[in-house]
Amino acid sequence: MISAQDSLQRYLFQLPPAFDIGAVFFFAVTGAVVAVKRGYDLVGLFAMSLISGLGGALIRDGIFLQNGPPALTRDWRYLAAVLAGAGVGWILGLRLERFQRVIALIDAVGLGAYGVFGTCLSLAAGLSYPAAVLVGVVNASGGGLLRDLITREEPLLLKPGQLYVLASMMGCIVFILLVLHTPLSTAHAAWAAIGLTFTFRVLAIAYNWRTRPVTEWRRRRAAPPGAEPPPGDDKN
């Protein structure tokens, strides 16, 4: 029988503090840009930055793990990064949209890192493997989901588009498989899974790999042999 302490040590993996705080800052900037686009006031600006920067971690700690106070309340640097991101987003505003490629690359790194990190924390807390993958995916994409819901936008992760959530899910699953079935240490398995997620996400952007509406799959199955399938809606 594996004790809770042994489980914690087995799945122990921490993101470098500079990487973690930097990622929160970056995502907070993207939230601030959304607030500027919508003409929000300072309260709205901060709220969008907080949700985008730490929304996934809040869902992870507050709903799934419930391991005491959320991380953002135990380390002042998280809120400092949110405030700094809100300030940069406010000052630069829509000019940041010129750097979409850079933003997409940074986002791809964060997608893998937070997915794997959330999976590690979940396994250390004793969650099952499928549940740990779920928490990892939520940790990676929860901020964007909350942002869309609060701004009354249909969440992008629910609609057909470039592979995003699936990339995070793949990284979380690969991490678990590497820990269970290879001699790699937890840290090496984590970085390998993060690298794979990043690569897969970048390829999805470069080659426009996309999901399809479920209705299109049904139409294809129902179509007679040789018939051309109707075009799908590729809008994200």
Side-chain angles (χ1 to χ4, degrees), residues 212-235:
R212 301 290 181 180
V214 293
T215 52
E216 181 177 325
W217 289 94
R218 293 180 60 185
R219 287 197 295 264
R220 285 185 175 183
R221 291 183 61 184
E228 287 292 329
D233 180 8
D234 280 347
K235 293 181 180 178

Side-chain angles (χ1 to χ4, degrees), residues 21-181:
I21 301 301
V24 171
F25 166 79
F26 164 76
F27 290 124
V29 170
T30 64
V33 172
V34 171
V36 170
K37 280 184 178 180
R38 290 179 164 267
Y40 290 173
D41 62 10
L42 287 177
V43 175
L45 180 79
F46 174 75
M48 285 295 99
S49 298
L50 179 65
I51 290 165
S52 299
L54 293 167
L58 283 172
I59 298 174
R60 179 198 70 208
D61 295 339
I63 296 178
F64 290 106
L65 302 185
Q66 299 182 7
N67 260 354
L72 76 92
T73 64
R74 289 184 271 114
D75 189 337
W76 63 270
R77 292 176 296 177
Y78 288 114
L79 286 177
V82 169
L83 286 171
V88 170
W90 180 24
I91 293 170
L92 298 182
L94 302 182
R95 282 175 286 181
L96 289 172
E97 293 190 339
R98 302 174 187 172
F99 305 100
Q100 285 298 325
R101 288 186 177 274
V102 176
I103 291 173
L105 290 176
I106 298 175
D107 181 72
V109 176
L111 181 71
Y114 283 119
V116 170
F117 184 55
T119 303
C120 287
L121 292 180
S122 303
L123 293 173
L127 271 64
S128 67
Y129 297 130
V133 171
L134 172 63
V135 175
V137 172
V138 169
N139 191 28
S141 58
L145 175 63
L146 288 178
R147 181 194 63 222
D148 291 342
L149 290 175
I150 290 176
T151 56
R152 297 183 181 181
E153 293 282 348
E154 185 178 7
L156 292 178
L157 67 85
L158 300 181
K159 298 189 287 186
Q162 284 180 348
L163 301 181
Y164 189 81
V165 171
L166 291 179
S168 176
M169 183 184 300
M170 180 196 66
C172 297
I173 293 173
V174 167
F175 165 71
I176 292 176
L177 292 176
L178 290 176
V179 169
L180 293 179
H181 301 295

Side-chain angles (χ1 to χ4, degrees), residues 177-201:
L177 292 176
L178 290 176
V179 169
L180 293 179
H181 301 295
T182 72
L184 290 175
S185 67
T186 300
H188 288 154
W191 286 114
I194 291 170
L196 181 63
T197 304
F198 171 79
T199 302
F200 187 77
R201 175 59 182 156

